[in-house]
Amino acid sequence: MGVSPAHTVRVAEDPADREACFAVRKEVFVAEQGVAEDIEYDAYDAVAVHVLAVREDGVPLGTGRLLHGEVAVAKTGGDPAVGSLGRLAVSREARGLGVGAALVRAIEDAARARGLTAVDLHAQTHALGFYARLGYEAYGPEFPDAGIPHRAMRRAL
């Protein structure tokens, strides 16, 4: 295994960071996976906590978001103490370098900081093993989202 470039993960606070998050999502979901751009971006983006992974030279490598409070309730079975992790995307060049796991942990930290007790997510079925290794447990039946099979998963914090 090669030496991976150093990366950091931070909450995307300023407009440039948020634009970097959206650029990674466009690369992964719209360009690679064929998700329609008009459903990739939604009203939740305005209220979500976004996290961004960047290489030491500033190149964005990955992103994810946390929904919490009222906006998360519909996605988490009605429990306001559960956050919703979503839109986790890692650029092709950064896969296998630990970026995805670092993003998940940063989202969990943001959830803990907001007093949440668990995090839910809707995983693409090919990613179930990735999330299981991070402590998430699948529940419920498989379902399509943007034409891609998914399953719900949850991890207590």
Side-chain angles (χ1 to χ4, degrees):
M1 195 151 97
V3 175
S4 64
H7 63 271
T8 57
V9 177
R10 63 179 181 255
V11 172
E13 302 282 4
D14 64 45
D17 277 357
R18 291 171 70 92
E19 286 306 312
C21 292
F22 297 149
V24 172
R25 284 170 47 186
K26 186 171 185 174
E27 172 192 336
V28 173
F29 296 127
V30 178
E32 275 186 46
Q33 296 185 353
V35 173
E37 199 163 350
D38 62 334
I39 64 170
E40 171 52 32
Y41 307 101
D42 59 26
Y44 296 123
D45 283 325
V47 295
V49 177
H50 297 270
V51 294
L52 175 66
V54 294
R55 208 166 59 193
E56 57 190 0
D57 62 2
V59 172
L61 300 175
T63 188
R65 75 178 186 187
L66 172 71
L67 301 179
H68 58 93
E70 287 304 308
V71 296
V73 167
K75 295 178 174 282
T76 61
D79 187 344
V82 178
S84 176
L85 183 158
R87 301 302 201 269
L88 189 78
V90 175
S91 66
R92 190 185 303 272
E93 70 181 64
R95 292 180 194 150
L97 303 178
V99 173
L103 287 163
V104 170
R105 295 304 186 221
I107 289 167
E108 292 169 350
D109 289 345
R112 276 188 206 91
R114 286 156 180 82
L116 303 179
T117 60
V119 172
D120 254 30
L121 59 87
H122 293 164
Q124 293 182 8
T125 54
H126 72 84
L128 288 169
F130 166 77
Y131 289 111
R133 286 188 296 278
L134 294 174
Y136 287 79
E137 293 182 22
Y139 66 91
E142 189 175 293
F143 60 93
D145 187 0
I148 300 167
H150 284 70
R151 285 209 50 211
M153 301 185 84
R154 178 172 289 189
R155 178 172 187 258
L157 299 177

